[in-house]
Amino acid sequence: MGKLTYEEAGVDIHAGENAVSRIKPLVKKTFNENVLSHIGGFGGLYNIDLEKWKKPVLVSSADGVGTKLMIAVMAGIYDTVGQDLVNHCVDDIFVQGAHPQYFLDYIGVGKLHPEVIEKIISGFSKACQENGMALIGGEMAEMPGIYSEDDFDLAGTIVGLIERDNIITGQSISEGDIVIGYSSTGLHTNGYSLARKIIFDKQKMTVDSIIPECGKTVAEVMLSIHKSYYPELKEWALPEFVHGMAHITGGGIVGNLKRIIPDGLRAEIDTKVWETPAVFNFMQNAGNVELPEMYSAFNMGIGFMVVADKDNADKIISATDGIPVGEIVKGDTAEKVRLSF
């Protein structure tokens, strides 16, 4: 009987080393003066500049991309999902006013293809640079017993900083405040299980099929990159300007905005003030989905919301791409967000 090797069991150490060699320059592009560690170390070291930060609070979050990855595999497009993950995590901590500092990734694969890993990491690197943070560590795990050969999974952890006195919680939201909406670039990273059911099961489309309402292929529309709102709004993310912010992800506008509305108040949102992107109209009709269900599963064109008093709302709207989409009124705690269609 021949001697069994790790590679025969499905794990290729040399492919892993090749992948690390490919991604080193991509990762190094994200480094700044606060990164004290080298690529390949057992842990990432990051210095906090205590001259810049007086009373720093760490803000962290972890997330994944969900079944959007399945469309990336079907289309053979791997450089966008890394950007999706980074931007999603940035938006999650930014709602409290946090400034992203560094990111760590996890990639689990059935079979390690160095060229695929390189494309995924290129997405991480691009988004980290755009958000001004470092990619200081990660893990690539080849697990043939868990994933099939072409499958992979992504997860990420982000750490940001905020001054203790500048934390935005939503508790200062009050009657008369204005809700500002910011457009999404598509589905972002939520609702893909329903979207796949509509597109592939009901409509029998492929990733190369054209969605007439959009004038683009399924792959182009479904792999549009999750937007980071940090670059546009970071200068306004202070309690003196903003009372609350919400990232519109799973659960839609109602499910996410209600998380920051204090008891006794309600956000009245007028969905008619923005144009619903064509992809959502297509899916509603193609899947015969009721409108309330659409707003529960998808962002429906609004990916981020800011709540501010009227004077500051006017200033923020004039300086950014936001539009007024609603206001805060007195209301029943059982219904903190009400949509009008």
Side-chain angles (χ1 to χ4, degrees), residues 61-255:
S61 182
D63 219 312
V65 182
T67 60
K68 187 173 187 176
L69 293 177
M70 298 177 71
I71 299 178
V73 171
M74 293 167 69
I77 298 173
Y78 302 100
D79 61 335
T80 60
V81 286
Q83 296 176 69
D84 287 324
L85 182 54
V86 170
N87 290 342
H88 184 124
C89 287
V90 168
D91 290 338
D92 273 354
I93 66 168
F94 181 51
V95 298
Q96 292 169 293
H99 298 268
Q101 300 298 302
Y102 61 84
F103 191 83
L104 302 104
D105 67 81
Y106 164 82
I107 306 174
V109 299
K111 183 173 179 57
L112 204 156
H113 300 287
E115 66 280 4
V116 172
I117 298 297
E118 183 179 14
K119 289 176 181 177
I120 294 170
I121 296 295
S122 73
F124 285 143
S125 176
K126 185 175 190 296
C128 281
Q129 291 177 76
E130 291 173 347
N131 287 287
M133 67 175 171
L135 177 60
I136 66 168
E139 163 72 356
M140 288 183 294
E142 189 172 26
M143 298 187 290
I146 300 294
Y147 304 104
S148 64
E149 183 170 322
D150 293 327
D151 286 341
F152 71 103
D153 195 14
L154 299 182
T157 298
I158 189 171
V159 175
L161 282 171
I162 187 171
E163 290 288 354
R164 189 183 184 102
D165 295 337
N166 290 338
I167 298 173
I168 298 169
T169 64
Q171 289 307 303
S172 59
I173 291 175
S174 55
E175 184 182 5
D177 281 358
I178 303 300
V179 183
I180 307 168
Y182 289 85
S183 62
S184 67
T185 53
L187 277 68
H188 283 184
T189 49
N190 295 100
Y192 277 83
S193 293
L194 177 56
R196 289 186 301 104
K197 188 78 173 175
I198 294 169
I199 292 170
F200 302 124
D201 294 351
K202 292 200 67 158
Q203 295 299 310
K204 308 299 182 184
M205 300 173 84
T206 71
V207 290
D208 297 319
S209 300
I210 299 291
I211 298 177
E213 290 85 344
C214 303
K216 296 179 180 179
T217 67
V218 167
E220 289 174 315
V221 173
M222 291 293 119
L223 294 178
S224 59
I225 296 167
H226 190 129
K227 182 178 179 178
S228 168
Y229 297 89
Y230 175 73
E232 181 178 9
L233 291 171
K234 61 183 177 181
E235 302 301 326
W236 297 98
L238 293 166
E240 63 191 88
F241 299 122
V242 168
H243 290 165
M245 297 192 290
H247 183 200
I248 310 306
T249 56
I253 293 172
V254 173

